[in-house]
């Protein structure tokens, strides 16, 4: 995926991926995206949006890793406490404050279950 197959991989649903390898940023803009009808990402999104998305891998912090919480980050990927809380806000079953409290409690529970 990170060698010869990268362009093919990123070309499968490019709207859900960001180019993380140098040299593919401009090609990504031209990849056909969509389900029923396909058109290049550049025809769907403004140039400044695509530019911000292309730059995002260079600017986001690796959550938890510098703080020594890599195991917790990995464990939460399976449980998805934050996306579940956001979904509850979106469907109206929780307030934002209650969802934040729920996500926090869920992450703390996951952390207690991690073997050091």
């Amino acid at each position: 995926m990170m060698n010869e197959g990268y362009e093919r991989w990123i070309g499968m649903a490019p709207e859900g991926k960001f180019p993380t390898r140098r040299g593919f940023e401009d090609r990504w803009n031209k990849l056909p995206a969509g389900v029923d009808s396909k058109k290049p990402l550049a025809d769907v999104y403004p140039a400044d949006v695509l530019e911000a998305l292309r730059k995002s891998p260079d600017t986001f912090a690796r959550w938890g890793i510098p703080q020594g919480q890599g195991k917790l980050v990995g464990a939460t990927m399976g449980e998805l406490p934050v996306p579940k809380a956001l979904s509850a806000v979106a469907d109206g079953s929780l307030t934002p404050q209650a969802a934040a409290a729920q996500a926090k409690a869920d992450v703390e529970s996951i952390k207690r279950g991690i073997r050091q």
Side-chain angles (χ1 to χ4, degrees):
M1 181 174 10
M2 293 306 285
N3 290 315
E4 297 82 26
Y6 185 75
E7 188 165 359
R8 196 177 103 219
W9 173 80
I10 201 167
M12 291 186 274
E15 64 276 9
K17 299 178 178 96
F18 306 112
T20 56
R21 286 191 58 200
R22 299 287 178 232
F24 288 88
E25 300 92 342
D26 291 330
R27 288 187 235 172
W28 179 67
N29 287 359
K30 298 174 184 122
L31 292 171
V35 177
D36 295 328
S37 64
K38 296 199 177 271
K39 57 173 108 176
L41 290 170
D43 290 353
V44 178
Y45 298 103
D48 60 328
V49 169
L50 292 174
E51 179 69 15
L53 292 172
R54 277 195 311 273
K55 288 182 177 181
S56 66
D58 294 332
T59 60
F60 68 83
R62 298 332 188 239
W63 299 342
I65 305 299
Q67 296 81 15
Q69 298 295 326
K71 287 183 181 180
L72 180 58
V73 171
T76 60
M77 297 302 268
E79 300 290 327
L80 302 173
V82 174
K84 287 177 182 175
L86 290 171
S87 177
V89 171
D91 73 18
S93 62
L94 287 177
T95 65
Q97 294 80 9
Q102 175 183 307
K104 181 179 184 214
D106 289 348
V107 170
E108 289 170 351
S109 176
I110 293 167
K111 187 175 183 178
R112 285 191 299 276
I114 295 174
R115 293 186 189 161
Q116 300 300 326

